Amino acid sequence: MARVVCFGELLLRLSAPGREKLLQSPQLEVRIGGAEANLGVSLSCFGHQVAAVGTVADNALGEAAAGELRRHGIDTTGVRKAPGRMGLYFLAPGAIHRPAEVLYDRAGSAFALAAADAYDWPALLRGADWLHLSGVTPALGANTAAAALAAARAARAAGVRVSFDGNFRPKLWEVWKGDAKAILSELMAEADLLFADYRDMGVVLGGQYPQVEPLARIEAAAGEAFAAFPHLEWMACTIRQPRNVDAHALAGVLVGRDSGTALAPQEEVGPIVDRIGGGDAFAAGVLHGLIKGWAPERTIRFGLAAGCLKHSIPGDFNLVSEADVEALVGEGRFDVKR
């Protein structure tokens, strides 16, 4: 098992109940989430030591968010408290042919306003094996972009491996006119493991991928990523084919610099309970397999199974164990557990 440090913003998720549209009835369900926290909770459920780093509002909302992480076994001593507000996002769940809708309300949050030098990275990374970051953090503004870069560079200097999830959010970058291509390129240059597909690489490297099959596009993009980023060893992603809002098909791809391509065959997923956090669950499964030293084929199958299971669980967190995921990969997976 490993010690993994996750740096990012803890969010409050406010969801319309059931399949309602936002404020169709005057109530909202509250959950805690955030890309990096989602991955951290998954890894904690798999048995790893996980530490969260970030900034929350110095009020009851911030304390509740940090407390939820502690409830799932995560070390929150690296989570600062500062005056200000919590970042929010509102979710209207979709149904059948009506897609889900997410509305962000994150501008001016305590995390977004925290100074880039507010984090003592040599101390925060002491004893860590991996640092996990996502592209959501630099998309929030100049301060968070600088902090993410400082974290990645400090990890690289300390011999801590870096996992980076591209998570390109154009609406967030547009708010502050940030140079997504340049900043994401700098972060990817520090990564050992990258969660991205050909669309992300098109943004960062400007490549065109005219291949007909998605797998061929992913492999072409991975080849360009390995050429551009010498530290990069692995690139992983899912291939998602929506049937409708309630049913998708998912496959997994893991490309290694030296080991070629490993595939997890397509799984039908549906009816979907909650797909938010599915990509983070997939990323946690892949990272878990690499930490354990599994073969690429086993690693990507485990990652895809973890991502599929998340679609069955309400909320952002994938509250399943390694044994739960292995049961989905293995035989007799739909039998009643007695």
Side-chain angles (χ1 to χ4, degrees):
M1 296 302 176
R3 179 171 176 80
V4 182
V5 174
C6 300
F7 174 54
E9 182 170 29
L10 273 175
L11 297 169
L12 301 184
R13 163 178 152 177
L14 306 175
S15 305
R19 296 299 187 90
E20 294 183 10
K21 301 183 72 174
L22 283 171
L23 298 184
Q24 182 177 332
S25 60
Q27 54 187 326
L28 293 168
E29 298 174 350
V30 182
R31 297 185 184 273
I32 308 301
E36 301 81 7
N38 297 345
L39 177 135
V41 169
S42 283
L43 289 178
S44 181
C45 289
F46 295 154
H48 299 284
Q49 296 181 10
V50 180
V53 177
T55 299
V56 298
D58 189 8
N59 57 33
L61 299 179
E63 180 55 40
E68 182 67 7
L69 291 191
R70 288 193 293 272
R71 190 166 76 87
H72 295 294
I74 293 181
D75 177 0
T76 62
T77 55
V79 177
R80 304 170 59 253
K81 296 180 180 179
R85 53 164 300 207
M86 290 293 293
L88 311 176
Y89 81 94
F90 297 83
L91 173 67
I96 309 175
H97 299 297
R98 174 172 58 83
E101 182 179 8
V102 169
L103 301 176
Y104 287 117
D105 182 16
R106 305 174 69 162
S109 69
F111 179 81
L113 296 180
D117 60 359
Y119 307 99
D120 182 355
W121 289 113
L124 292 166
L125 292 168
R126 190 170 298 126
D129 300 291
W130 284 85
L131 167 70
H132 181 72
L133 304 164
S134 88
V136 177
T137 296
L140 295 174
N143 286 354
T144 55
L149 283 167
R153 288 166 178 164
R156 175 63 55 195
V160 176
R161 304 186 76 183
V162 177
S163 165
F164 183 71
D165 192 335
N167 273 339
F168 181 55
R169 299 289 188 269
K171 291 182 179 179
L172 294 177
W173 287 100
E174 180 61 27
V175 169
W176 65 286
K177 308 299 181 187
D179 189 346
K181 179 177 181 179
I183 294 170
L184 291 174
S185 179
E186 288 185 88
L187 283 163
M188 290 180 182
E190 305 297 338
D192 299 272
L193 168 62
L194 177 60
F195 296 98
D197 63 14
Y198 58 90
R199 290 163 292 195
D200 298 294
M201 290 300 99
V203 171
V204 174
L205 299 178
Q208 300 294 317
Y209 308 105
Q211 294 84 356
V212 175
E213 295 297 325
L215 177 59
R217 296 177 197 168
I218 292 164
E219 290 179 318
E224 291 193 359
F226 292 136
F229 308 127
H231 296 302
L232 186 63
E233 294 296 329
W234 301 95
M235 188 172 112
C237 67
T238 58
I239 301 174
R240 182 183 293 268
Q241 295 181 334
R243 310 305 192 199
N244 57 45
V245 170
D246 295 314
H248 294 182
L250 286 175
V253 183
L254 177 62
V255 186
R257 178 183 290 273
D258 300 318
S259 60
T261 301
L263 300 175
Q266 189 177 81
E267 289 274 358
E268 295 292 334
V269 180
I272 294 170
V273 174
D274 191 334
R275 65 166 288 188
I276 302 297
D280 304 317
F282 166 78
V286 171
L287 181 53
H288 177 66
L290 293 177
I291 289 170
K292 297 272 280 188
W294 291 344
E297 291 76 14
R298 182 180 180 187
T299 295
I300 192 60
R301 284 176 178 266
F302 185 92
L304 182 67
C308 289
L309 280 174
K310 170 61 198 70
H311 290 68
S312 72
I313 298 175
D316 287 35
F317 298 155
N318 195 30
L319 304 176
V320 298
S321 68
E322 180 185 278
D324 293 329
V325 181
E326 291 280 34
L328 180 57
V329 176
E331 298 296 328
R333 55 189 181 174
F334 300 125
D335 291 346
V336 176
K337 294 182 179 179
R338 300 185 188 276

